Amino acid sequence: MGKDAHVTRREGIPLLSEKAARQSTDVGFLSNGGELGAMTRTLDWSDSPLGPPHQWSQALKTTVGMMLAAQAQIVLFWGPDFVALYNDAYAPGIGANHPRALGRPAIENWGELWDDLEPLLAGVRNTRKTFAAKDRPFYVERHGYGETSYWDVSYSAVSDDDGSVGGVLCLVSETTERVLGETQLRASEARYRELAETLEQRVAERTAERHLLATIVETTDGQIQALNLDYRWLAINASCADAYQRIYGKRPKVGDSLHEFLADRPEHLAAATAIWGRALAGEAFTNIEEFGDPRFDRRVFEMKFETLLAPDGTRIGAFLTGIDVTDRLEEQARLAQAEEALRQAQKMEAMGQLTGGVAHDFNNLLTPIVGLLDLFQRKGIGGEREHRLVAGAAQAADRAKTLVQRLLAFARRQPLQAIPVNIGQLVTDMGELISSTTGPQIQVTVDTPEGLPEAMADPNQIEMAILNLSVNARDAMPDGGSLRISAKARTIERTHGSELTPGTYVCISVADNGIGMNEDTLAHAVEPFFSTKGIGQGTGLGLSMVHGLASQLGGALTIKSAVGSGTTVELWLPVSHAAAGAIDAVTQPKLRPLPAGTALLVDDEPLVRMSTSEMLSELGYRVVEASSAEDALRRVKDGLRPNLLVTDHLMPGMSGTDLGLALRNQYPEIQILVVSGYANNEGITPDLPRLTKPFRSDELAASLAGLAKAGR
Ligand SMILES: Nc1ncnc2c1ncn2[C@@H]1O[C@H](COP(=O)(O)OP(=O)(O)OP(=O)(O)O)[C@@H](O)[C@H]1O
Ligand SMILES: [Mg+2]
């Protein structure tokens, strides 16, 4: 055997080299295999299930030889473990898994996709059917991260020497780049297609939106305008042009210059450029200012200025949005005025209540004082010294009485006997009295028209009021002047802004050309105790009294005054609807001899009762006293038949008026006199004769005489 001889002849190294030579011959199929051929040859195959290449089956050798020589990407999975063998073209496709994958079972290096790959390989091996696919996705982790790669593949079975399936030959071609490129392309194509399809619609939408905005800008009553840095209009809406038309009589248009527009009105131009100048210098601000030529109209605008920027951010002008707030401001001012008037009225009301309460109590206290002092005087008690002291006290009590009357008048609580009064006559009479007392430097004129309607009023109180107003006028003219007292009929229309209800009034006016009042004095003049005349000079109750009287009679008091030019005070009284001359307005009851008899005197105040009782006894009456209306009724029930009932009005329980009415019903022959401290229009009926507290004996006598006259 040539072979054996050859071996025998070359022992040791020659033998080995011969063996190696033989081996190299045996692995000749690897020699044209490029890099992978070389690696396959030098790899340590001792651990591989395939064993060294020279021991491989012929079929495997042939297939590997073919594969290594091919330019296409090929991997061969051989044997039951699918040991991997591949060529140069294939190696880059498995990234970091090369070279360790060579000669190793596929599961070791295709682990991440083994669940996917194994069924494919097993399928080919078991069925011999070729598996082929285009752009087949495979999940791989060849570069240290997971990714989906795409491949054109063709897996076919390779027969071993014995005819069984030895392995699976995989011809592959990676298409990842193309597939991903195509996907991207498709996506951007879709985007462009969509863009193209919607472009037209979106253009239409934007155009409609712009039109809508333009319509809003043109129809809003807010003013919008923009000026460039040269004070030329860049834009102006209709409302803004209208506003210019209204205040300057002409309309600016885009391109016009503000300087030219207001060239003929230098001050207006200065005001406009001053404010626009700030805005054009880059300031954003809000401002409320009045603009306009008074020959046209002046209006107040609330304006918001903002900088106008070009798209690249450079300042190209300023724009302003404004509204005409003139009406709103006027409305606010009117409201504030109305609120102030209401506050003033509430203040006066509160003061009236307070003053009225105090005055009423004070009045009650004054009644017995006046009564007793009167009694002392009439009885001539004491010596000359006592007479003087009592006279002094009586005078002080009288002054206190006047004060209290004024307070009650202010509080609209004085008992008023409102009857139709011929004001013309009354004013004329007063004028004479006043001119005789004011001195020669003051010229008094009286002016009343013929046929003045009668007013519903209390004549005594109106005289007091005119006297008060005249004294004020005199005091306002220390160096002389003219005082004009007049009366005329005036009609208040519905639209009149005063507190007066519409209707006809007699307006008594007392006007002087004296020092006048400043705003502060005018605002407080009517308040009780407000006086500028210094301590001891004025009580500050004059105007308060007139004010209270006017409103109690359903009229009003108005004062117009200006420092240096004088004051006009008007007293408005509602006209009477009773037949003229039906009642003798100023008739005073005459003193007559009194019919003596029994007087039932009712008063809850023991002190008041005592002094009145004393007066009645003085006047010849037998007096029966009762401390309440109920007490009085009981006495009448028990058989008392008085000739006269003198009763206080306001008492706990039944009122004096109710008592009077009850007795008059039963015993019409009883004469009744109700004594009251202040007016309570609802409580006291005008049917019952009244006497105002506090009163002196002669006043009581006069009232009783009046009763006797009326009763006859
Ligand atoms: N005709 C007037 N001209 C200028 N100021 C007036 C006039 N009438 C009233 N006043 C002002 O109004 C104030 C209040 O007047 P009012 O009559 O209520 O009180 P008085 O005159 O000060 O005191 P009194 O009337 O009790 O003597 C006065 O002090 C005065 O400042
Ligand atoms: Mg006065």
Side-chain angles (χ1 to χ4, degrees), residues 320 369 374 412 435 453 457 493 625 655 699:
L320 124 61
I369 297 173
D374 183 50
R412 288 180 272 123
S435 58
E493 304 291 343
E625 294 182 24
S655 78
E699 290 163 333

Side-chain angles (χ1 to χ4, degrees), residues 406 468-469 471-476 510 512 514-517 521 524-527 529-533 537-545 559 561 566-569:
R406 285 178 151 202
N468 272 319
L469 298 179
V471 169
N472 279 352
R474 183 204 63 195
D475 291 349
V510 178
D512 66 63
I515 54 172
M517 292 181 241
T521 302
H524 296 287
V526 173
E527 288 173 16
F529 307 112
F530 176 86
S531 175
T532 57
K533 295 182 182 167
Q537 302 296 306
T539 61
L541 286 172
L543 288 176
S544 315
M545 173 260 167
I559 306 175
S561 188
T567 303
T568 300
V569 182

